[in-house]
Coordinates of all heavy atoms in Angstrom, one line a residue:
M1 N 0.8 -1.2 0.0 CA 0.0 0.0 0.0 C 0.9 1.3 0.0 O 0.6 2.2 -0.7 CB -0.9 0.0 1.2 CG -1.9 1.1 1.3 SD -3.1 1.0 0.0 CE -4.0 2.4 0.4
N2 N 1.9 1.2 0.8 CA 2.8 2.4 0.9 C 3.5 2.6 -0.5 O 3.7 3.8 -0.9 CB 3.9 2.2 2.0 CG 4.5 3.5 2.4 OD1 4.1 4.5 2.0 ND2 5.6 3.4 3.1
N3 N 3.9 1.6 -1.2 CA 4.5 1.7 -2.5 C 3.6 2.4 -3.5 O 4.0 3.2 -4.3 CB 5.0 0.4 -3.0 CG 6.2 -0.1 -2.3 OD1 6.9 0.7 -1.7 ND2 6.4 -1.4 -2.3
M4 N 2.3 2.0 -3.4 CA 1.3 2.6 -4.3 C 1.1 4.0 -4.1 O 1.1 4.9 -5.0 CB 0.0 1.8 -4.2 CG -1.1 2.3 -5.2 SD -2.7 1.7 -4.9 CE -2.5 0.0 -4.9
M5 N 1.1 4.4 -2.8 CA 1.0 5.9 -2.4 C 2.2 6.6 -2.9 O 2.1 7.7 -3.4 CB 0.8 6.0 -0.9 CG -0.6 5.5 -0.4 SD -2.0 6.3 -1.2 CE -1.8 8.0 -0.5
N6 N 3.4 6.0 -2.8 CA 4.6 6.7 -3.2 C 4.6 6.9 -4.8 O 5.0 7.9 -5.3 CB 5.8 5.9 -2.8 CG 6.1 6.0 -1.3 OD1 5.7 6.9 -0.7 ND2 6.8 5.0 -0.8
M7 N 4.1 5.9 -5.5 CA 4.0 6.0 -6.9 C 3.0 7.1 -7.3 O 3.2 7.9 -8.3 CB 3.6 4.7 -7.6 CG 4.7 3.6 -7.6 SD 4.3 2.1 -8.4 CE 2.6 2.0 -8.6
I8 N 1.9 7.2 -6.6 CA 0.9 8.2 -7.0 C 1.4 9.6 -6.7 O 1.3 10.5 -7.5 CB -0.4 7.9 -6.2 CG1 -1.1 6.7 -6.7 CG2 -1.4 9.2 -6.2 CD1 -2.3 6.3 -5.8
M9 N 2.1 9.7 -5.6 CA 2.6 11.1 -5.2 C 3.8 11.4 -6.1 O 3.9 12.6 -6.5 CB 3.1 11.1 -3.7 CG 1.9 11.0 -2.8 SD 0.8 12.3 -3.1 CE -0.6 11.9 -2.1
A10 N 4.6 10.5 -6.5 CA 5.7 10.8 -7.4 C 5.3 11.1 -8.8 O 5.9 11.9 -9.5 CB 6.7 9.6 -7.4
S11 N 4.1 10.6 -9.2 CA 3.7 10.9 -10.6 C 2.8 12.1 -10.7 O 2.2 12.4 -11.7 CB 2.9 9.6 -11.1 OG 1.7 9.5 -10.3
G12 N 2.7 12.9 -9.7 CA 1.9 14.1 -9.7 C 0.8 14.2 -8.8 O 0.0 15.1 -8.8
G13 N 0.6 13.2 -8.0 CA -0.4 13.2 -6.9 C -1.8 12.6 -7.4 O -1.9 11.9 -8.3
F14 N -2.7 13.1 -6.6 CA -4.1 12.5 -6.8 C -4.7 12.9 -8.1 O -5.4 12.1 -8.7 CB -5.0 13.1 -5.7 CG -6.4 12.8 -5.8 CD1 -6.9 11.5 -5.5 CD2 -7.3 13.7 -6.2 CE1 -8.2 11.2 -5.7 CE2 -8.7 13.4 -6.4 CZ -9.1 12.1 -6.1
W15 N -4.3 14.0 -8.7 CA -5.0 14.5 -9.9 C -4.7 13.7 -11.1 O -5.4 13.7 -12.1 CB -4.7 16.0 -10.1 CG -5.1 16.8 -8.9 CD1 -4.3 17.5 -8.1 CD2 -6.4 16.8 -8.3 NE1 -5.0 18.0 -7.0 CE2 -6.3 17.6 -7.2 CE3 -7.7 16.3 -8.7 CZ2 -7.4 17.9 -6.4 CZ3 -8.8 16.6 -7.9 CH2 -8.6 17.4 -6.7
N16 N -3.6 12.9 -11.1 CA -3.3 12.0 -12.2 C -4.2 10.8 -12.2 O -4.4 10.2 -13.2 CB -1.8 11.6 -12.2 CG -0.9 12.7 -12.6 OD1 -1.4 13.7 -13.3 ND2 0.4 12.6 -12.4
V17 N -4.6 10.4 -11.0 CA -5.6 9.2 -11.0 C -7.0 9.7 -10.9 O -7.9 8.9 -10.8 CB -5.2 8.3 -9.8 CG1 -3.9 7.7 -9.9 CG2 -5.4 9.1 -8.5
W18 N -7.3 11.0 -11.0 CA -8.6 11.5 -10.9 C -9.6 10.9 -12.0 O -10.7 10.6 -11.7 CB -8.6 13.0 -11.0 CG -10.0 13.7 -11.2 CD1 -10.4 14.4 -12.2 CD2 -11.1 13.5 -10.3 NE1 -11.7 14.8 -12.0 CE2 -12.2 14.2 -10.9 CE3 -11.3 12.8 -9.1 CZ2 -13.4 14.3 -10.3 CZ3 -12.6 12.9 -8.5 CH2 -13.6 13.6 -9.1
P19 N -9.1 10.8 -13.2 CA -10.0 10.2 -14.2 C -10.5 8.8 -13.8 O -11.7 8.4 -14.0 CB -9.2 10.1 -15.5 CG -8.2 11.2 -15.4 CD -7.9 11.2 -13.9
I20 N -9.6 8.0 -13.2 CA -10.0 6.6 -12.8 C -11.0 6.7 -11.6 O -12.0 6.0 -11.6 CB -8.8 5.8 -12.4 CG1 -7.9 5.6 -13.6 CG2 -9.2 4.5 -11.8 CD1 -6.5 5.1 -13.3
V21 N -10.7 7.6 -10.6 CA -11.6 7.8 -9.5 C -12.9 8.3 -9.9 O -14.0 7.9 -9.4 CB -10.9 8.8 -8.5 CG1 -11.9 9.1 -7.4 CG2 -9.7 8.2 -7.9
K22 N -12.9 9.2 -10.9 CA -14.2 9.8 -11.4 C -15.1 8.7 -12.1 O -16.3 8.6 -11.8 CB -13.9 10.9 -12.4 CG -15.1 11.5 -13.0 CD -14.9 12.8 -13.8 CE -14.0 12.5 -15.0 NZ -13.9 13.7 -15.9
I23 N -14.5 7.8 -12.8 CA -15.2 6.7 -13.5 C -15.8 5.8 -12.4 O -17.0 5.4 -12.5 CB -14.3 6.0 -14.5 CG1 -14.1 6.9 -15.7 CG2 -15.0 4.7 -15.0 CD1 -13.0 6.4 -16.6
V24 N -15.0 5.4 -11.5 CA -15.4 4.5 -10.4 C -16.6 5.1 -9.6 O -17.6 4.5 -9.3 CB -14.2 4.1 -9.5 CG1 -14.7 3.3 -8.3 CG2 -13.2 3.2 -10.3
A25 N -16.4 6.4 -9.3 CA -17.4 7.1 -8.5 C -18.8 7.2 -9.3 O -19.8 6.9 -8.7 CB -17.0 8.5 -8.1
L26 N -18.7 7.5 -10.6 CA -19.9 7.5 -11.4 C -20.6 6.2 -11.5 O -21.8 6.1 -11.5 CB -19.5 8.1 -12.7 CG -19.2 9.6 -12.8 CD1 -18.8 10.1 -14.1 CD2 -20.4 10.4 -12.3
V27 N -19.8 5.1 -11.6 CA -20.4 3.8 -11.7 C -21.1 3.4 -10.4 O -22.2 2.9 -10.4 CB -19.3 2.7 -12.1 CG1 -19.8 1.3 -11.9 CG2 -18.8 3.0 -13.6
V28 N -20.4 3.7 -9.3 CA -21.0 3.4 -8.0 C -22.3 4.2 -7.8 O -23.3 3.7 -7.3 CB -20.0 3.6 -6.9 CG1 -20.7 3.5 -5.5 CG2 -18.9 2.6 -7.0
M29 N -22.3 5.5 -8.2 CA -23.4 6.3 -8.1 C -24.6 5.8 -9.0 O -25.7 5.8 -8.6 CB -23.1 7.8 -8.4 CG -22.3 8.5 -7.3 SD -21.6 10.1 -7.8 CE -22.9 10.9 -8.5
A30 N -24.3 5.4 -10.2 CA -25.3 4.8 -11.1 C -25.9 3.6 -10.5 O -27.1 3.4 -10.5 CB -24.7 4.6 -12.4
I31 N -25.1 2.7 -9.9 CA -25.6 1.5 -9.3 C -26.5 1.8 -8.1 O -27.6 1.2 -7.9 CB -24.4 0.6 -8.9 CG1 -23.7 0.0 -10.1 CG2 -24.9 -0.6 -8.0 CD1 -22.5 -0.7 -9.8
C32 N -26.1 2.8 -7.3 CA -26.9 3.2 -6.1 C -28.2 3.8 -6.6 O -29.3 3.5 -6.0 CB -26.2 4.3 -5.3 SG -24.9 3.6 -4.2
A33 N -28.2 4.6 -7.7 CA -29.4 5.2 -8.2 C -30.4 4.1 -8.7 O -31.6 4.2 -8.4 CB -29.1 6.2 -9.3
I34 N -29.9 3.2 -9.4 CA -30.7 2.1 -9.9 C -31.3 1.3 -8.8 O -32.5 0.9 -8.8 CB -30.0 1.2 -10.9 CG1 -29.7 2.0 -12.2 CG2 -30.7 -0.1 -11.3 CD1 -28.7 1.3 -13.2
F35 N -30.5 1.0 -7.8 CA -30.9 0.2 -6.6 C -32.0 1.0 -5.8 O -33.0 0.4 -5.4 CB -29.7 0.0 -5.7 CG -30.1 -0.9 -4.5 CD1 -30.3 -2.2 -4.7 CD2 -30.2 -0.3 -3.2 CE1 -30.6 -3.0 -3.6 CE2 -30.5 -1.1 -2.1 CZ -30.7 -2.5 -2.3
I36 N -31.9 2.3 -5.7 CA -32.9 3.1 -5.0 C -34.2 3.0 -5.8 O -35.3 2.9 -5.2 CB -32.4 4.6 -4.9 CG1 -31.3 4.7 -3.8 CG2 -33.6 5.5 -4.4 CD1 -30.7 6.0 -3.8
I37 N -34.1 3.1 -7.1 CA -35.4 3.1 -7.9 C -36.0 1.7 -7.7 O -37.3 1.6 -7.5 CB -35.0 3.3 -9.4 CG1 -34.6 4.8 -9.6 CG2 -36.2 3.0 -10.3 CD1 -34.0 5.1 -10.9
L38 N -35.3 0.6 -7.8 CA -35.8 -0.7 -7.6 C -36.4 -0.9 -6.2 O -37.5 -1.5 -6.1 CB -34.8 -1.8 -7.9 CG -34.3 -1.9 -9.4 CD1 -33.2 -2.9 -9.5 CD2 -35.5 -2.2 -10.3
V39 N -35.7 -0.5 -5.2 CA -36.2 -0.7 -3.8 C -37.5 0.1 -3.6 O -38.5 -0.4 -3.0 CB -35.1 -0.2 -2.8 CG1 -35.7 -0.1 -1.4 CG2 -34.0 -1.2 -2.8
V40 N -37.6 1.3 -4.1 CA -38.8 2.1 -4.0 C -40.0 1.5 -4.8 O -41.1 1.5 -4.3 CB -38.6 3.6 -4.4 CG1 -39.9 4.4 -4.6 CG2 -37.6 4.3 -3.5
L41 N -39.7 1.0 -5.9 CA -40.7 0.3 -6.7 C -41.3 -0.9 -6.0 O -42.5 -1.3 -6.2 CB -40.2 0.0 -8.1 CG -40.1 1.1 -9.1 CD1 -39.5 0.6 -10.4 CD2 -41.4 1.8 -9.3
F42 N -40.4 -1.7 -5.3 CA -40.9 -2.9 -4.6 C -41.6 -2.6 -3.3 O -42.2 -3.5 -2.8 CB -39.7 -3.8 -4.4 CG -39.2 -4.5 -5.6 CD1 -37.9 -4.5 -5.9 CD2 -40.1 -5.2 -6.4 CE1 -37.4 -5.2 -7.0 CE2 -39.7 -5.9 -7.5 CZ -38.3 -5.9 -7.8
Q43 N -41.6 -1.4 -2.8 CA -42.2 -1.1 -1.5 C -43.7 -1.0 -1.8 O -44.2 -0.4 -2.7 CB -41.8 0.2 -1.0 CG -40.4 0.2 -0.4 CD -40.0 1.5 0.3 OE1 -40.8 2.4 0.3 NE2 -38.8 1.6 0.8
P44 N -44.5 -1.6 -0.9 CA -45.9 -1.5 -0.9 C -46.4 -0.1 -0.5 O -45.6 0.6 0.2 CB -46.4 -2.6 0.0 CG -45.3 -2.8 1.0 CD -44.1 -2.5 0.2
G45 N -47.6 0.2 -0.8 CA -48.1 1.5 -0.4 C -48.4 1.6 1.1 O -48.5 0.6 1.8
N46 N -48.4 2.8 1.6 CA -48.7 3.0 3.1 C -50.1 2.8 3.5 O -50.4 2.3 4.6 CB -48.2 4.4 3.5 CG -46.7 4.6 3.5 OD1 -46.0 3.6 3.6 ND2 -46.3 5.8 3.4
S47 N -51.0 3.1 2.6 CA -52.4 3.0 3.0 C -53.0 1.7 2.4 O -52.5 1.2 1.4 CB -53.3 4.2 2.5 OG -53.3 4.2 1.1
S48 N -54.0 1.2 3.0 CA -54.7 0.0 2.5 C -56.0 0.3 1.9 O -57.0 -0.3 2.2 CB -54.8 -1.1 3.6 OG -54.8 -0.5 4.9
G49 N -56.1 1.3 1.1 CA -57.3 1.6 0.4 C -58.3 2.4 1.3 O -58.0 3.2 2.1
V50 N -59.6 2.1 1.1 CA -60.7 2.8 1.8 C -60.7 2.4 3.2 O -61.1 3.2 4.1 CB -62.0 2.4 1.1 CG1 -63.2 3.1 1.8 CG2 -62.0 2.8 -0.4
G51 N -60.2 1.2 3.6 CA -60.2 0.8 5.0 C -59.3 1.7 5.9 O -59.5 1.7 7.1
A52 N -58.4 2.4 5.3 CA -57.5 3.2 6.0 C -58.3 4.5 6.5 O -57.8 5.1 7.5 CB -56.3 3.6 5.2
L53 N -59.4 4.8 5.9 CA -60.1 6.0 6.3 C -60.8 5.9 7.6 O -60.9 6.8 8.4 CB -61.1 6.4 5.2 CG -60.6 6.8 3.9 CD1 -61.8 7.0 2.9 CD2 -59.8 8.1 4.0
G54 N -61.3 4.7 7.9 CA -62.0 4.4 9.2 C -61.1 4.0 10.3 O -61.5 3.8 11.4
G55 N -59.8 3.9 10.1 CA -58.9 3.5 11.2 C -58.6 2.0 11.1 O -59.4 1.3 10.5
T56 N -57.6 1.6 11.6 CA -57.2 0.1 11.6 C -57.1 -0.4 13.0 O -56.8 0.3 13.9 CB -55.9 -0.1 10.8 OG1 -54.9 0.6 11.4 CG2 -56.1 0.4 9.3
T57 N -57.2 -1.7 13.1 CA -57.0 -2.3 14.4 C -55.6 -2.9 14.4 O -54.9 -3.0 13.4 CB -58.0 -3.5 14.5 OG1 -57.8 -4.5 13.5 CG2 -59.4 -3.0 14.5
E58 N -55.2 -3.2 15.6 CA -53.8 -3.7 15.9 C -53.8 -5.1 15.4 O -54.6 -5.9 15.8 CB -53.5 -3.6 17.4 CG -52.0 -3.9 17.7 CD -51.1 -2.8 17.1 OE1 -51.5 -1.7 17.0 OE2 -50.0 -3.2 16.8
T59 N -52.8 -5.4 14.6 CA -52.6 -6.8 14.0 C -51.3 -7.3 14.5 O -50.5 -6.6 15.0 CB -52.7 -6.8 12.5 OG1 -51.6 -6.0 12.0 CG2 -54.0 -6.2 12.0
F60 N -51.1 -8.6 14.2 CA -49.8 -9.2 14.5 C -48.7 -8.5 13.8 O -47.6 -8.3 14.3 CB -49.9 -10.7 14.2 CG -48.6 -11.4 14.4 CD1 -48.1 -11.7 15.7 CD2 -47.7 -11.7 13.3 CE1 -46.9 -12.3 15.9 CE2 -46.5 -12.4 13.6 CZ -46.1 -12.6 14.8
L61 N -48.9 -8.2 12.5 CA -47.8 -7.6 11.7 C -47.6 -6.1 12.2 O -46.5 -5.6 12.1 CB -48.2 -7.5 10.2 CG -48.1 -8.9 9.5 CD1 -48.6 -8.7 8.1 CD2 -46.7 -9.4 9.6
G62 N -48.6 -5.5 12.7 CA -48.4 -4.2 13.3 C -47.5 -4.2 14.5 O -46.8 -3.2 14.8
K63 N -47.6 -5.2 15.3 CA -46.8 -5.3 16.5 C -45.3 -5.7 16.2 O -44.4 -5.3 16.9 CB -47.4 -6.4 17.5 CG -48.7 -6.0 18.0 CD -49.2 -7.1 18.9 CE -50.6 -6.7 19.4 NZ -51.2 -7.8 20.2
N64 N -45.1 -6.4 15.1 CA -43.8 -6.9 14.8 C -43.3 -6.2 13.5 O -42.8 -6.9 12.6 CB -43.8 -8.4 14.6 CG -44.2 -9.1 15.9 OD1 -43.7 -8.7 16.9 ND2 -45.0 -10.1 15.8
K65 N -43.4 -4.9 13.4 CA -43.0 -4.2 12.1 C -41.6 -4.3 11.8 O -41.2 -4.3 10.6 CB -43.4 -2.8 12.2 CG -44.9 -2.5 12.0 CD -45.1 -1.1 11.7 CE -46.6 -0.9 11.3 NZ -46.8 0.2 10.6
S66 N -40.7 -4.5 12.8 CA -39.3 -4.5 12.5 C -38.9 -5.8 11.7 O -37.8 -5.9 11.2 CB -38.5 -4.4 13.7 OG -38.7 -5.5 14.6
K67 N -39.8 -6.8 11.7 CA -39.4 -8.1 11.1 C -40.1 -8.2 9.7 O -39.9 -9.2 9.0 CB -39.8 -9.2 12.0 CG -39.1 -9.3 13.3 CD -39.6 -10.4 14.2 CE -38.9 -10.3 15.5 NZ -39.4 -11.4 16.4
T68 N -40.9 -7.3 9.3 CA -41.6 -7.4 8.1 C -40.8 -7.0 6.8 O -39.8 -6.3 6.9 CB -42.9 -6.5 8.1 OG1 -42.5 -5.2 8.2 CG2 -43.8 -6.9 9.2
F69 N -41.3 -7.4 5.7 CA -40.6 -7.0 4.4 C -40.7 -5.5 4.2 O -39.7 -5.0 3.7 CB -41.4 -7.8 3.3 CG -40.9 -7.4 1.9 CD1 -39.7 -7.9 1.5 CD2 -41.7 -6.6 1.1 CE1 -39.2 -7.7 0.2 CE2 -41.2 -6.4 -0.2 CZ -40.0 -6.9 -0.6
E70 N -41.7 -4.9 4.6 CA -41.9 -3.4 4.4 C -40.8 -2.7 5.2 O -40.2 -1.7 4.7 CB -43.2 -2.9 4.9 CG -44.4 -3.5 4.1 CD -45.7 -3.1 4.7 OE1 -45.8 -2.1 5.5 OE2 -46.7 -3.7 4.4
H71 N -40.5 -3.1 6.4 CA -39.5 -2.5 7.2 C -38.1 -2.6 6.7 O -37.4 -1.7 6.6 CB -39.6 -3.0 8.7 CG -38.6 -2.3 9.6 ND1 -37.4 -2.7 9.8 CD2 -38.8 -1.2 10.3 CE1 -36.7 -1.9 10.6 NE2 -37.6 -1.0 11.0
R72 N -37.8 -3.8 6.2 CA -36.5 -4.0 5.6 C -36.4 -3.2 4.3 O -35.3 -2.7 4.0 CB -36.3 -5.5 5.2 CG -35.9 -6.3 6.5 CD -35.6 -7.7 6.1 NE -36.7 -8.5 6.7 CZ -37.3 -9.5 6.1 NH1 -36.8 -10.0 5.0 NH2 -38.2 -10.2 6.7
M73 N -37.4 -3.0 3.5 CA -37.4 -2.2 2.3 C -37.2 -0.8 2.6 O -36.4 -0.1 2.0 CB -38.6 -2.4 1.5 CG -38.7 -3.8 0.9 SD -37.3 -4.4 -0.1 CE -37.7 -3.6 -1.6
R74 N -37.9 -0.3 3.7 CA -37.7 1.1 4.1 C -36.2 1.3 4.6 O -35.6 2.4 4.3 CB -38.7 1.5 5.2 CG -40.0 1.7 4.7 CD -41.0 2.2 5.7 NE -42.3 2.2 5.2 CZ -43.4 2.3 5.9 NH1 -43.3 2.3 7.2 NH2 -44.6 2.4 5.4
K75 N -35.7 0.4 5.3 CA -34.3 0.5 5.8 C -33.3 0.5 4.7 O -32.4 1.3 4.6 CB -34.0 -0.6 6.8 CG -32.7 -0.4 7.5 CD -32.4 -1.6 8.5 CE -33.3 -1.5 9.7 NZ -32.9 -2.5 10.7
L76 N -33.6 -0.3 3.7 CA -32.7 -0.3 2.5 C -32.8 1.0 1.7 O -31.8 1.5 1.2 CB -33.0 -1.5 1.6 CG -32.5 -2.9 2.0 CD1 -33.0 -3.9 1.0 CD2 -31.0 -2.9 1.9
T77 N -34.0 1.5 1.7 CA -34.2 2.8 1.0 C -33.4 3.9 1.7 O -32.7 4.7 1.0 CB -35.6 3.2 0.9 OG1 -36.4 2.1 0.3 CG2 -35.9 4.5 0.2
V78 N -33.5 4.0 3.0 CA -32.7 5.0 3.7 C -31.2 4.8 3.6 O -30.5 5.8 3.3 CB -33.2 5.0 5.2 CG1 -32.3 5.9 6.0 CG2 -34.6 5.4 5.3
I79 N -30.7 3.6 3.7 CA -29.3 3.4 3.6 C -28.8 3.7 2.3 O -27.8 4.4 2.1 CB -29.0 1.9 4.0 CG1 -29.3 1.7 5.5 CG2 -27.5 1.6 3.7 CD1 -29.2 0.3 6.0
S80 N -29.5 3.2 1.2 CA -29.0 3.5 -0.1 C -29.1 5.0 -0.5 O -28.2 5.5 -1.2 CB -29.7 2.6 -1.1 OG -31.1 2.8 -1.1
S81 N -30.1 5.7 0.0 CA -30.2 7.1 -0.2 C -29.1 7.9 0.4 O -28.5 8.8 -0.1 CB -31.5 7.6 0.3 OG -32.6 7.0 -0.4
I82 N -28.7 7.5 1.6 CA -27.6 8.1 2.3 C -26.3 7.9 1.6 O -25.5 8.8 1.4 CB -27.5 7.7 3.8 CG1 -28.7 8.2 4.6 CG2 -26.2 8.1 4.5 CD1 -28.9 7.6 6.0
V83 N -26.0 6.7 1.2 CA -24.8 6.4 0.4 C -24.8 7.2 -0.9 O -23.8 7.8 -1.2 CB -24.7 4.9 0.1 CG1 -23.6 4.6 -0.9 CG2 -24.5 4.1 1.4
F84 N -25.9 7.2 -1.6 CA -26.0 8.0 -2.8 C -25.7 9.5 -2.6 O -25.0 10.1 -3.3 CB -27.3 7.8 -3.5 CG -27.4 8.5 -4.8 CD1 -26.8 8.0 -5.9 CD2 -28.2 9.6 -4.9 CE1 -26.9 8.6 -7.1 CE2 -28.3 10.3 -6.2 CZ -27.7 9.8 -7.3
G85 N -26.3 10.0 -1.5 CA -26.2 11.4 -1.2 C -24.7 11.8 -0.8 O -24.2 12.8 -1.3
V86 N -24.1 10.9 0.0 CA -22.7 11.2 0.4 C -21.8 11.1 -0.8 O -20.9 11.9 -1.0 CB -22.3 10.2 1.5 CG1 -20.8 10.2 1.7 CG2 -23.0 10.5 2.8
L87 N -22.0 10.1 -1.7 CA -21.2 10.0 -2.9 C -21.4 11.2 -3.8 O -20.4 11.7 -4.4 CB -21.6 8.7 -3.7 CG -21.0 7.4 -3.2 CD1 -21.6 6.3 -4.0 CD2 -19.5 7.5 -3.3
C88 N -22.6 11.7 -3.9 CA -22.8 12.9 -4.8 C -22.1 14.1 -4.2 O -21.5 14.9 -5.0 CB -24.3 13.2 -4.9 SG -25.2 12.0 -5.9
I89 N -22.2 14.3 -2.9 CA -21.5 15.5 -2.3 C -20.0 15.4 -2.4 O -19.3 16.3 -2.8 CB -22.0 15.6 -0.8 CG1 -23.5 16.0 -0.8 CG2 -21.1 16.6 -0.1 CD1 -24.1 16.0 0.6
A90 N -19.5 14.2 -2.1 CA -18.0 14.0 -2.2 C -17.6 14.2 -3.7 O -16.5 14.8 -3.9 CB -17.7 12.6 -1.7
F91 N -18.3 13.7 -4.6 CA -17.9 13.8 -6.0 C -18.0 15.3 -6.4 O -17.1 15.7 -7.2 CB -18.9 13.0 -6.9 CG -18.5 13.0 -8.4 CD1 -17.5 12.2 -8.8 CD2 -19.3 13.7 -9.3 CE1 -17.1 12.2 -10.2 CE2 -18.9 13.8 -10.6 CZ -17.9 13.0 -11.0
A92 N -19.0 16.0 -6.0 CA -19.1 17.4 -6.4 C -17.9 18.2 -5.8 O -17.3 19.1 -6.4 CB -20.4 18.0 -5.9
I93 N -17.5 17.9 -4.5 CA -16.4 18.6 -3.9 C -15.1 18.4 -4.6 O -14.4 19.3 -4.9 CB -16.4 18.3 -2.4 CG1 -17.6 18.8 -1.6 CG2 -15.1 18.7 -1.8 CD1 -17.7 18.3 -0.2
V94 N -14.9 17.1 -4.9 CA -13.6 16.7 -5.5 C -13.6 17.3 -7.0 O -12.5 17.8 -7.4 CB -13.4 15.2 -5.5 CG1 -12.2 14.8 -6.3 CG2 -13.2 14.7 -4.1
A95 N -14.7 17.3 -7.6 CA -14.7 17.8 -9.0 C -14.5 19.3 -9.0 O -13.9 19.9 -9.9 CB -16.1 17.5 -9.7
Y96 N -15.1 20.0 -8.0 CA -14.9 21.4 -7.9 C -13.4 21.8 -7.7 O -12.8 22.6 -8.4 CB -15.7 22.0 -6.7 CG -15.4 23.4 -6.4 CD1 -15.9 24.4 -7.2 CD2 -14.6 23.8 -5.4 CE1 -15.7 25.8 -7.0 CE2 -14.3 25.2 -5.1 CZ -14.9 26.1 -6.0 OH -14.6 27.4 -5.7
F97 N -12.7 21.0 -6.8 CA -11.3 21.3 -6.6 C -10.4 20.8 -7.8 O -9.3 21.4 -8.0 CB -10.8 20.7 -5.3 CG -11.3 21.4 -4.1 CD1 -12.2 20.9 -3.2 CD2 -10.9 22.7 -3.8 CE1 -12.6 21.6 -2.1 CE2 -11.3 23.4 -2.7 CZ -12.2 22.9 -1.9
A98 N -10.9 19.9 -8.5 CA -10.1 19.4 -9.7 C -10.2 20.5 -10.8 O -9.3 20.6 -11.6 CB -10.7 18.1 -10.2
A99 N -11.3 21.2 -10.8 CA -11.4 22.3 -11.9 C -10.6 23.5 -11.6 O -10.4 24.3 -12.5 CB -12.9 22.6 -12.0
L100 N -10.2 23.7 -10.3 CA -9.4 24.9 -10.0 C -8.1 24.9 -10.6 O -7.4 24.1 -10.9 CB -9.4 25.1 -8.5 CG -10.7 25.4 -7.8 CD1 -10.4 25.5 -6.3 CD2 -11.3 26.7 -8.3

């Protein structure tokens, strides 16, 4: 690892490997975006039609929401959205400094 860092620094630093980093970041961002779209599409709706207007009773699934498919999908949506957002911000910051 140390030899690789020495080679990068000797060859002009981070900006010489920026095109590779940019391609990798864009590919990871595209994968995250597609994953977010798929996870959101697989999530069921929040309301259950007309029955939601009159209120609902407590069910077994209501008590154990953390174990349901819906909860896992919501958690995956939040995690993948955070990863995508952080990658977008990091990419924008590095791209800004690369343009200077």
Side-chain angles (χ1 to χ4, degrees):
M1 181 71 178
N2 197 13
N3 289 335
M4 184 187 307
M5 291 301 292
N6 288 336
M7 286 186 340
I8 291 172
M9 291 304 170
S11 65
F14 173 75
W15 304 116
N16 284 344
V17 295
W18 170 240
I20 298 168
V21 172
K22 183 169 59 171
I23 291 170
V24 170
L26 287 174
V27 167
V28 172
M29 286 169 48
I31 291 170
C32 281
I34 292 169
F35 184 73
I36 290 170
I37 291 169
L38 291 176
V39 168
V40 169
L41 285 176
F42 285 130
Q43 285 184 4
N46 285 340
S47 65
S48 25
V50 179
L53 294 175
T56 58
T57 61
E58 190 67 31
T59 63
F60 176 74
L61 288 176
K63 293 178 184 175
N64 297 316
K65 281 196 172 199
S66 64
K67 298 177 183 176
T68 63
F69 177 72
E70 295 173 22
H71 183 268
R72 280 187 250 141
M73 294 303 279
R74 285 185 184 165
K75 190 181 286 188
L76 279 175
T77 303
V78 169
I79 291 170
S80 57
S81 299
I82 290 171
V83 169
F84 183 73
V86 168
L87 281 174
C88 287
I89 292 170
F91 184 74
I93 290 170
V94 173
Y96 174 76
F97 286 113
L100 292 179

